[in-house]
Amino acid sequence: MLMTEQATGHHPQPRPRSGATPATTVEHVTGAQSLIRSLEEVGADTVFGIPGGAILPAYDPMMDSQKVRHVLVRHEQGAGHAATGYAQATGKVGVCMATSGPGATNLVTPIADAHMDSVPMVAITGQVASKAIGTDAFQEADICGITMPITKHNFLVTKAEDIPRTIAEAFHIASTGRPGPVLVDIAKDALQAKTTFSWPPQTELPGYRPVTKPHAKQIREAAKLITAAKRPVLYVGGGVIKSGATAELKVLAELTGAPVTTTLMALGAFPDSHPLHVGMPGMHGAVTAVTALQKADLIVALGARFDDRVTGKLDSFAPYAKIVHADIDPAEIGKNRAADVPIVGDAREVIADLVQAVQAEHSEGNQGDYSAWWADLNRWRETYPLGYDLPEDGSLSPQQVIQRIGQLAPEGTIFAAGVGQHQMWAAHFIDYEKPATWLNSGGAGTMGYAVPAAMGAKAGMPERTVWAIDGDGCFQMTNQELTTCALNNIPIKVAIINNGALGMVRQWQTLFYNQRYSNTVLHSGPDDVNPDAKGTRVPDFVKLSEAMGCVALRCEDPADLDKVIAEANAINDRPVVIDFIVHEDAQVWPMVAAGTSNDEVMAARGVRPDFGDGEDD
């Protein structure tokens, strides 16, 4: 069953011509050869994977391909996250490959991650021979059944002649409408059988017709609400980046003069430095952004899904606001918050049409007056800016480390973050001016995402600097892919924000569990021989990284911070890892506690903002 869809990738893949006269026909090839030829034809240039018994036939012809580069990863999860990072950085479909059974099941987490964040990915897995399916054969797993809830669509291929059509359909489905992961599971005997390769194939996708053009009446209604509102907010989600609508968004924002808030998945969709930008909303969003949504009388949601991390307690979210909700996936509209004006369509087309409709309203003398609204917004912005305190003991501040990495990075640097405190600090203290410069795991919140995603981004955009901002907890989940980077000339840079703990969980234990730090300390405790000695940090990330072929540095003194970052930026022939030993008690603020209303946002621990006037409906 095909799922409903959202925004198309900003570098769409070649679309198969349904029913076109074959331009290429090659007889007497194996299904495996047909698979590799199909990948070449759809424009796949990089595959991340690991061979194994069921997929092995595909690896032989891949060795001869002049167009498809294979990157041999160290764990299939790394292959999946690398495909995601590649897709997020390039806008093209990311491709990963694994064998049957455990190889396929190791892809489940990155597939779920891509599904939550609407990332175009095609995962190709080998399956046991078709006659053995269902017999609990060696390394058999029903990967189609396992991934059905977390894929946009998936296929089980048991005939060699079906491979080109299936690959064409998989790439088309993954990259159009609401992007997402598609799994293609191919039986080993289908890869081994002789067939005829013909391209382009005739695709068969009855019922798959993503709507991209919005309804004109709904656009006009939205424009009327925008010009009539007194406290509007443009609530921008990741769909705006996926549809390549950032230029149109800037035009709409400047035309209306409405404040813009960009979600965690939309950072870079609108320049952080723009005066209309009021920050990121959500559980750890900027006070101004969170409060703007709460006190708005109109929210224009563009490619966003009213995620619980943005809304907080849903029934108290934006109580005064009418809602215009534009999304290419009709299933998202009204799912969490009823829409007064629902608009189904691609974000780029929606915003372009909204610009024209607002211009028409302006020409008729209907212009919004948001001066009082901006007086409130600017007061909040000045009173509750993002910031942090430096540790009194002179140790490294994690926020300062991340901020300086952003400030010293070359122009166009791509940042990939893991999940936790460092993710939020990277969202807050690095400026994102352009799309596809911020990669992270938003919906699934997958620890271990950063290193393989940075690897995928660098493989897809080799001319760009790529930094992975990781925590010491996240880093220990997928750091083996540094070996992959070292051996495949993928020179990423990794900043380990090493506070010796699972930082975000520790923060919750500090705030909500009476400082009972159950199983969140990552380094070892006091030496048994010398109880007064400080705990030794295990593993030693410098030695570990050097053993994997990286240049490894350590920084503990704020005086060395800029020098060490500059040294890392100057090394471009190998991966670089910096172990930043930071203060363990730093916390992420602002914060809305889980399950509470956004009205209860805290600017810092125990500090509730006083918003003064401007709250009335």
Side-chain angles (χ1 to χ4, degrees):
M1 178 180 178
L2 290 177
M3 305 299 289
T4 48
E5 322 308 334
Q6 191 184 307
T8 172
H10 50 282
H11 296 287
Q13 294 290 308
R15 183 170 178 169
R17 293 176 291 162
S18 181
T21 303
T24 303
T25 301
V26 183
E27 296 182 347
H28 307 303
V29 297
T30 64
Q33 290 172 316
S34 180
L35 170 63
I36 303 307
R37 289 294 299 269
S38 298
L39 289 174
E40 292 175 344
E41 292 290 346
V42 295
D45 55 30
T46 307
V47 175
F48 303 93
I50 302 179
I55 196 65
L56 195 58
Y59 273 79
D60 185 65
M62 186 150 46
M63 193 174 185
D64 300 323
S65 176
Q66 299 300 308
K67 298 179 180 178
V68 178
R69 175 194 187 189
H70 182 270
V71 177
L72 175 62
V73 298
R74 266 52 195 169
H75 191 285
E76 289 88 355
Q77 184 178 352
H81 291 316
T84 290
Y86 173 96
Q88 289 176 319
T90 66
K92 299 190 290 186
V93 175
V95 186
C96 54
M97 189 175 286
T99 195
S100 63
T105 58
N106 280 343
L107 288 176
V108 168
T109 294
I111 289 172
D113 185 275
H115 181 67
M116 288 288 278
D117 288 343
S118 303
V119 178
M121 175 204 287
V122 171
I124 299 169
T125 53
Q127 184 53 277
V128 299
S130 52
K131 289 184 178 178
I133 293 174
T135 68
D136 291 333
F138 177 66
Q139 290 193 333
E140 181 187 359
D142 178 11
I143 196 61
C144 286
I146 291 168
T147 61
M148 186 172 288
I150 54 169
T151 49
K152 188 174 173 184
H153 193 56
N154 61 39
F155 300 86
L156 173 61
V157 181
T158 58
K159 297 180 180 178
E161 60 265 30
D162 292 337
I163 290 174
R165 173 181 57 79
T166 304
I167 293 298
E169 290 174 356
F171 274 73
H172 178 61
I173 293 168
S175 61
T176 56
R178 179 178 186 165
V182 178
L183 180 127
V184 180
D185 193 33
I186 309 176
K188 186 173 185 178
D189 53 325
L191 291 170
Q192 294 171 319
K194 290 291 185 179
T195 186
T196 297
F197 172 77
S198 181
W199 196 273
Q202 182 168 339
T203 57
E204 300 171 10
L205 295 172
Y208 181 68
R209 298 288 184 271
V211 174
T212 61
K213 184 70 175 173
H215 196 287
K217 179 177 180 294
Q218 303 299 87
I219 292 290
R220 289 194 299 271
E221 288 296 318
K224 285 183 171 65
L225 287 178
I226 290 170
T227 53
K230 288 184 170 54
R231 301 189 302 278
V233 176
L234 300 182
Y235 160 40
V236 175
V240 169
I241 289 180
K242 291 176 174 65
S243 67
T246 54
E248 288 81 358
L249 173 65
K250 191 167 183 284
V251 172
L252 178 65
E254 292 176 345
L255 175 66
T256 62
V260 178
T261 180
T262 48
T263 68
L264 185 68
M265 294 306 299
L267 297 181
F270 192 75
D272 278 357
S273 61
H274 198 288
L276 294 176
H277 192 246
V278 294
M280 180 183 78
M283 174 178 275
H284 292 292
V287 169
T288 306
V290 173
T291 309
L293 288 171
Q294 283 302 96
K295 300 189 183 304
D297 64 359
L298 176 68
I299 292 175
V300 181
L302 302 167
R305 59 187 179 89
F306 291 89
D307 174 68
D308 63 281
R309 280 299 191 262
V310 168
T311 66
K313 187 179 179 183
L314 188 59
D315 60 11
S316 67
F317 174 71
Y320 315 121
K322 290 185 177 179
I323 303 294
V324 173
H325 192 179
D327 204 295
I328 202 167
D329 184 351
E332 288 295 348
I333 298 176
K335 184 179 80 175
N336 293 328
R337 175 68 179 257
D340 297 278
V341 180
I343 303 174
V344 178
D346 175 73
R348 190 171 187 176
E349 296 194 41
V350 168
I351 297 172
D353 286 0
L354 268 178
V355 167
Q356 292 187 339
V358 171
Q359 287 171 334
E361 287 291 315
H362 288 181
S363 67
E364 295 176 10
N366 302 322
Q367 185 116 13
D369 179 4
Y370 313 143
S371 55
W373 182 221
W374 272 108
D376 288 338
L377 293 166
N378 287 329
R379 184 173 71 253
W380 302 334
R381 196 152 54 175
E382 291 165 10
T383 308
Y384 304 106
L386 293 172
Y388 56 90
D389 295 322
L390 295 176
E392 294 180 359
D393 63 1
S395 59
L396 270 179
S397 156
Q399 300 98 320
Q400 184 182 26
V401 169
I402 292 169
Q403 187 173 51
R404 291 303 290 159
I405 289 171
Q407 291 168 342
L408 296 173
E411 185 177 355
T413 294
I414 296 169
F415 298 93
V419 170
Q421 289 181 313
H422 61 281
Q423 175 190 28
M424 295 297 107
W425 290 323
H428 282 319
F429 298 113
I430 295 175
D431 292 328
Y432 302 98
E433 300 296 311
K434 295 181 181 178
T437 54
W438 163 252
L439 318 179
N440 85 125
S441 170
T446 307
M447 292 180 67
Y449 165 91
V451 169
M455 176 175 73
K458 183 67 174 177
M461 306 290 280
E463 74 287 356
R464 302 274 284 277
T465 299
V466 180
W467 271 97
I469 310 293
D470 220 0
D472 48 328
C474 288
F475 183 73
Q476 292 185 74
M477 294 191 174
T478 52
N479 62 57
Q480 67 271 11
E481 299 311 334
L482 287 172
T483 302
T484 308
C485 292
L487 294 176
N488 288 275
N489 189 29
I490 305 175
I492 66 171
K493 306 179 194 303
V494 181
I496 306 172
I497 309 302
N498 186 353
N499 63 358
L502 297 171
M504 189 64 88
V505 184
R506 178 185 168 87
Q507 176 168 333
W508 280 49
Q509 288 172 332
T510 299
L511 298 175
F512 309 120
Y513 292 89
N514 299 317
Q515 300 181 25
R516 288 164 55 84
Y517 300 118
S518 173
N519 289 282
T520 46
V521 176
L522 291 172
H523 58 70
S524 66
D527 191 311
D528 291 336
V529 178
N530 182 7
D532 295 325
K534 287 186 176 181
T536 304
R537 292 178 184 264
V538 176
D540 182 323
F541 290 135
V542 169
K543 291 179 180 177
L544 178 64
S545 300
E546 287 176 343
M548 289 188 283
C550 305
V551 174
L553 309 167
R554 180 173 286 124
C555 182
E556 301 185 57
D557 187 341
D560 297 332
L561 181 58
D562 284 14
K563 180 184 70 174
V564 172
I565 295 171
E567 186 177 347
N569 280 328
I571 299 170
N572 293 301
D573 59 345
R574 285 167 292 172
V576 184
V577 177
I578 310 178
D579 183 17
F580 290 102
I581 309 298
V582 301
H583 197 275
E584 69 175 2
D585 288 323
Q587 295 187 346
V588 179
W589 299 102
M591 181 177 179
V592 179
T596 66
S597 169
N598 284 353
D599 290 326
E600 298 176 47
V601 61
M602 293 181 287
R605 185 174 182 181
V607 178
R608 289 281 306 280
D610 178 8
F611 296 109
D613 297 328
E615 296 187 30
D616 297 334
D617 187 6

